[in-house]
Amino acid sequence: MIWLAAASALASSGRVEIDAAQLGAKVPKSLYGVFLEEINNSGEGGLYAELIQNRGFEDANVPPGCTVNGRTLFAPKNPSFWEGYSKNFQMEWPYDSTMPFWSVQGLQLSTRITDAHPLTPASPHALEFTSTAVGGRIVNDGFWGIGVKMGAAYRLSLHAQSLGYTGSLTARLVGQDGKVLASAPIRSIPSGKWGKLSANLTATGSDSRAKFELVVNGKGKGLIDFVSLFPAKTFKNRPNGLRPDLAKMIADLKPAFVRWPGGCVVEGITIETRPRWEQTLGPIETRTPTFIPWGYWVSNGFGYHEWLQFCEDIGAEPLYVFSVGVSCAFRSGTYLPDSETPNLIQNTLDAIEYAIGPTTSKWGGLRAKNGHPKPFPMRTIEIGNEEQGAKYGARVAQFIKPIKAKYPQLKIALSSWISGIDHAAIDAAGPGLDIVDEHAYKPIHWAVNNFDSFAKYPRNVPWELYIGEFATNSGVGRGNMLATIGDAAYMMNMEKNGDLVKMGSYAPLLENTNRRQWEVNLIHFDTDKLYGRASYYACKLFAENLPTVNLATKVDFTPTGENPIHGPIGLGIFGTTAEFKDIQVEQDGKSVYRYDPSAPGKGWQIESGQWVARDGVYAQTGPDFDVWSRLPGDYKDTKVSFKARRLSGAEGFVVSVGNADGRRVQFNVGGWNNTQHTLEVAGQVIKAVRTKAEDGRWYDVEVETRGRHVTCKLDGKVLFDEELPRIDKVLAVAGRDDATGDIIVKVLNPTSAPVDLDLALQNAALTGKGTVTTLASENPEAENSYEKPNQIVPTVTPISFSGDSLKRRFPAYSVSIVRVKTR
Ligand code: AHR
């Protein structure tokens, strides 16, 4: 149910003046890239097309240097780089079996994991089975199932050996209902030595959560290892390749570069667990897996070479992030001593040589042997991720010298913590630093309100700015149109400051629905389907409509009307049972609603939760989080009053009194684990009083709105009395595309009403023809989904106009790209 009031306000009007004769900063071709990190099972069980989880039976391994006790992993008690003492870092250990994701069906079959017959040093463990009667099954769950499609072919390979086993195996794909979807025999299992066997399977049915099975048709003891299943069709048909639909989604963003492998992944939870590019080359059985900071093992099947190849396949430059010898600041922060830095630097030089060195060099030669004699177009590297301070900068300085000596053409980036420029790190890195990578995760409306942020950055600096990770990701649910508005504003800000901001990449890029580890991600996928959030389409539009140079652009817009807080009234609960009574709503001093105990619940629309009307009270009786019952309507200038008490659970109760700019305004009593009462807009705390809601105590609650003013009272005492600032403005940037001569104007209407704009295009030889591409949603909280993947997608409309003025209505909550032809 859409409970936000539709964009009903009258259109405001304004003017955007663009002067094609006044050139601004050049817009770098490198501006829009992607950041690919192994998080949310984005690669493993995602982009990397392998369908078997724990194919090498190594997932129960304890990560190097760590210990595991039950379901907890402990980092070694070594000092952290920054804190100087051991932070005693621990995290959840996700595996509770010696053979995660594998199981056995049939009493006649027993299994164990053994390292008595190592296949390779990187894959020492194997599954040993003993069969006393035919028909037992060894089952793999895939990555939350296997997305099997009717008619599709799958390539299986596995290593097996008989230790007295006689008979064959049958590889099968089996649907959730037990139906066999594909089957192929595996015969000739070598005795006493490993042999690589393969089979092709073709599906006769579809199932998004199928399983893989090996049916044991004989008796005796045998071993299997490295069971790998790929769809025959991969991106660009590469062996050991990528899921085509996901790879295409990324390719369609036309990224100028791909930053990889992280993110936090770069440094590991401990220094011992950091990724090692050199261990991700060659036959997949020989690659040492990595336990990543996001808490799972990664097979490294998508390794350094595959990443370089992927970049080439999608026309992007590779941007590798190297470890600076310090593990993740949010995890243990353990590090390599300075005495180890020379080895680390040599390792970095080797990686660069692999990417761009001549085939006569050691690592360039290996690249050629791995099928790519031609150097990859690596031009930029980064040293460290989200590190800080002079100590980090000094380490970067040690890298810069030898790298620049051997590869003077390479640009070197330093990671500048989260938000802003880390001058201490930059100063310590010293000469030779080319790029500063700032990470910018911003709350709702930040980018609209801070459209001048990059203009305020220093200009006389020897480095360029890269926004390696950006996203509007708080106060926007799991991503919605308001997030997209923020992301578009942020990109427009980058674009108009192209003299400083040379590169940017949204983060995180991918979310496997089955393991969401980050609240807001760009592309969502499951075993067999995917969709891009509205922000995906904004990123795509911006990359497709990259001008060569900015043009002077002036926006003259004053919103009309008051833009008051308005919308439905709601009662909400976060993990609590609570009761409400004597609920009243007044507008302009007149009662417009009064809870009637003789007509319990009348007028309320239950959106979620277990709401019941009993004994004159309205109660939420379940343990649910973020559940609401609403009084629908477009209430404004309203006083809501009631009595409420919490009965049990984590928090108190919430009342929402409509929306400001599409953002829910609410008074939260006993919020945030019952630590504070807060005034919130879109879930962001505007003001807080640290206290708790007492059990069983009836509170008198009153919230009054007048225009954009909101007053919250508890037991007659004013807790909050706030005027919410107006954020209804229009943003625009314009540029010229030298390849086509087109003038490209990006217009952002973040307001809840349409805006009529007069685009005055001065000093341009216009043809009067063009297009407007619009990405819009009337409901600012709407987002694409598996059910409605195309709810918010761009629509293209041809336009024609005369003279140098183009008048157009820009819908509420919209991002528009106006492209006009010139002669
Ligand atoms: O993008 C997710 C994480 O955010 C990255 O791993 C890290 O660099 C940042 O903190």
Side-chain angles (χ1 to χ4, degrees), residues 36 50 95 212 226 275 308 334 370 389 455 472 510 520 524 531 535 538 578 625 632 658 668 678 692 713 724:
L36 192 58
E50 173 64 78
Y95 305 111
F212 171 79
F226 233 84
L308 288 163
T334 54
N370 287 341
T472 299
L510 299 174
V520 180
H524 294 207
Y531 69 90
S535 288
F625 276 84
N668 190 349
T678 49
K692 59 184 274 201
K713 289 187 194 166
L724 302 179

Side-chain angles (χ1 to χ4, degrees), residues 35 37 39 263-264 294 330 385-386 418 439 441 469 507-508 518:
F35 165 46
E37 183 179 22
I39 178 175
C264 296
W294 301 107
F330 297 110
N385 175 69
E386 288 185 0
I418 310 168
H439 292 177
Y441 293 102
E469 300 179 24
W518 196 263

Side-chain angles (χ1 to χ4, degrees), residues 259-278:
R259 177 178 185 250
W260 188 76
C264 296
V265 161
V266 164
E267 313 285 12
I269 50 166
T270 63
I271 195 60
E272 295 84 357
T273 54
R274 71 189 187 279
R276 309 289 294 264
W277 65 273
E278 70 280 14

Side-chain angles (χ1 to χ4, degrees), residues 117-134:
H117 308 269
L119 175 67
T120 67
S123 186
H125 295 101
L127 184 119
E128 181 188 283
F129 62 89
T130 306
S131 166
T132 52
V134 299

Side-chain angles (χ1 to χ4, degrees), residues 745-762:
V745 190
K746 300 189 172 88
V747 180
L748 188 71
N749 178 8
T751 76
S752 57
V755 168
D756 290 324
L757 288 180
D758 182 359
L759 302 191
L761 299 149
Q762 297 155 359

